[in-house]
Amino acid sequence: MSYPASMRERRPHLKDHSIEALRTRFAAEGIEPWRAEQVASWLYARGVEDPARWTDVSAALRERFAAAWERRALEWDDCSVSADGTVKGRLRARDGALVESVLIPEGDRTTLCISTQVGCPLACAFCATGALGFTRNLSVAEILDEVCRMRERLAPGQRLTNVVYMGMGEPLLNLPNVIESVRVLLHPKGFALGPRKVTVSTAGVVPKIGALLAAVPVNLAVSLHAPTDAVRDELVPINRRFPIAVLMDALRGQREISARRPVFFEYTLMRGKNDSLDDARRLAQLVRGLPSKINLIPMNPHEDAPYQPPSDAAVEAFASELSRRGATVTVRRPRGADIDAACGQLAARRASPSGEPQASGAPKPRGARSAA
Ligand code: SAH
């Protein structure tokens, strides 16, 4: 049966709910609530979207799901593979909006970095997504379909081990949908990830941090990027509303943050901006006593921002000053920079401005350098 577009829009989406919420929704529609787990294990654990293949579901119910419910929110638009094995997917929503997700293999880990908004309203000075402006929030189904689509690119035997909400957008400005999607990532009939395997990152939307941590047992990452308000006001404009002292107080007040569940600070190093040894000392002072780890990310340069990474020696000096002063610190090497897939480079740019979207189905990866 085919439906006109207007009616299709109004059909409920099986991926728009956590499994708990789907039970309630089913009950209200006269479907047995336990069918929610069944449907979830087809959609997420097994990755089968066509109800015709849901062999343990009655024929009548299979037809009902096929006719009256949506099961798919994102289609492939483009896919590129970096020389280092990083895969960037550009995915297309029903309204034509483009979102990007990045699959990052590192030894026996495979991390997926997902987006939560089309564009971003926070306009951080050094971020390519921020330069796009904000279009809209992603739905729960769209967030989960990033995982479903990108999983199609895993090699045989490769398993998705970690998910980070560090793609396009500010997760805490789309909090209800982020929470519902996390619930599906963690649910045994969903993607069955362990709670320490999921990380949600914020640029510092302070009033929402407590609600996130109370709702779901994920890791919290905070994009800090400067130890003084003068510099952070420029780099991360939301600092003007929630300055560093307010942010740090809020973090210190979270019961959920502990040595077992530290907060991760992201600090993008920009030459001459926030990379002096004084900055390192102030940063160490700021985090003292707070269970935390600092991830240093040398700036990934791009055409929308004037900032450059420091020299390798300056990055090393900054890192050792921090650890000398008791901070736990790691330097993150950029991944997928050759295909604009590294932190802060996601801008869903089309290769050709008028490029027609390709037909659905996973496209052949385009290698930036020596891919495939
Ligand atoms: N809005 C959320 C989620 C995005 S996470 C947040 O800001 O935390 C993406 C991370 O990459 C953030 O820490 C962001 O500040 C950082 N980033 C942005 N642009 C970058 C760039 N050009 N080089 C390195 N890191 C960048």
Side-chain angles (χ1 to χ4, degrees):
M1 196 184 317
S2 85
Y3 284 75
S6 57
M7 217 172 145
R8 248 194 337 252
E9 291 308 309
R10 273 187 269 117
R11 295 203 296 172
H13 206 303
L14 283 171
K15 288 180 181 157
D16 248 339
H17 310 271
S18 65
I19 295 160
E20 298 79 358
L22 198 56
R23 289 180 69 98
T24 312
R25 177 84 201 232
F26 278 4
E29 308 219 2
I31 302 171
E32 300 105 314
W34 55 268
R35 297 283 185 192
E37 275 86 0
Q38 231 179 7
V39 165
S41 80
W42 284 109
L43 289 175
Y44 307 119
R46 285 177 272 201
V48 178
E49 285 170 343
D50 180 3
R53 294 174 54 202
W54 298 352
T55 45
D56 53 3
V57 175
S58 71
L61 202 49
R62 289 204 302 257
E63 267 163 40
R64 186 166 168 192
F65 286 136
W69 292 76
E70 296 289 340
R71 283 101 45 203
R72 196 173 161 102
L74 295 178
E75 302 297 337
W76 281 102
D77 189 74
D78 196 14
C79 181
S80 8
V81 181
S82 162
D84 67 16
T86 302
V87 179
K88 181 170 76 170
R90 191 174 62 201
L91 305 168
R92 187 171 10 89
R94 284 288 170 81
D95 64 355
L98 296 173
V99 291
E100 290 182 332
S101 316
V102 183
L103 199 56
I104 310 152
E106 355 171 49
D108 26 313
R109 282 218 258 184
T110 299
T111 301
L112 177 64
C113 174
I114 57 176
S115 298
T116 54
Q117 299 183 315
V118 182
C120 182
L122 294 186
C124 296
F126 55 102
C127 178
T129 307
L132 289 176
F134 174 65
T135 305
R136 66 172 175 85
N137 280 331
L138 293 182
S139 66
V140 181
E142 288 166 336
I143 296 171
L144 290 172
D145 246 8
E146 294 182 65
V147 189
C148 294
R149 286 296 79 69
M150 294 304 285
R151 193 173 52 172
E152 295 166 7
R153 304 253 39 131
L154 294 174
Q158 190 184 7
R159 215 170 42 83
L160 188 63
T161 57
N162 299 67
V163 173
V164 297
Y165 286 70
M166 295 188 181
M168 304 168 77
E170 168 52 46
L172 296 200
L173 294 180
N174 187 12
L175 188 58
N177 292 353
V178 164
I179 289 173
E180 285 293 274
S181 63
V182 167
R183 291 192 169 126
V184 175
L185 293 183
L186 302 184
H187 197 288
K189 300 284 181 189
F191 291 97
L193 290 172
R196 291 292 94 74
K197 305 293 185 185
V198 177
T199 302
V200 176
S201 183
T202 179
V205 183
V206 170
K208 306 279 184 173
I209 288 176
L212 171 78
L213 294 179
V216 277
V218 290
N219 298 318
L220 176 70
V222 174
S223 295
L224 195 55
H225 307 315
T228 63
D229 284 325
V231 178
R232 196 164 189 268
D233 279 352
E234 173 192 332
L235 296 177
V236 186
I238 198 177
N239 193 67
R240 296 172 204 157
R241 275 170 67 200
F242 308 111
I244 292 174
V246 171
L247 172 64
M248 298 307 291
D249 273 358
L251 294 175
R252 287 180 198 281
Q254 301 301 321
R255 277 184 297 130
E256 288 85 359
I257 296 175
S258 65
R260 274 195 58 240
R261 196 178 165 193
V263 55
F264 295 86
F265 288 108
E266 292 152 278
Y267 193 102
T268 298
L269 283 164
M270 296 166 228
R271 192 196 306 158
K273 191 53 133 177
N274 62 1
D275 64 341
S276 71
L277 291 183
D278 270 346
D279 290 321
R281 284 175 209 125
R282 286 192 202 102
L283 178 56
Q285 179 65 38
L286 266 185
V287 305
R288 184 158 303 151
L290 179 64
S292 58
K293 296 186 176 177
I294 300 174
N295 287 323
L296 297 177
I297 317 165
M299 169 77 192
N300 295 307
H302 56 84
E303 63 196 42
D304 294 316
Y307 309 104
Q308 293 299 322
S311 68
D312 288 352
V315 172
E316 269 319 303
F318 195 94
S320 27
E321 186 64 25
L322 278 175
S323 51
R324 218 169 56 76
R325 287 169 186 267
T328 308
V329 52
T330 9
V331 178
R332 284 217 244 137
R333 283 173 308 112
R335 299 291 306 264
D338 54 344
I339 54 168
D340 285 348
C343 299
Q345 293 187 322
L346 300 184
R349 285 194 186 89
R350 286 190 176 285
S352 62
S354 62
E356 276 300 299
Q358 294 160 11
S360 58
K364 271 207 160 140
R366 282 186 301 114
R369 275 186 216 141
S370 60

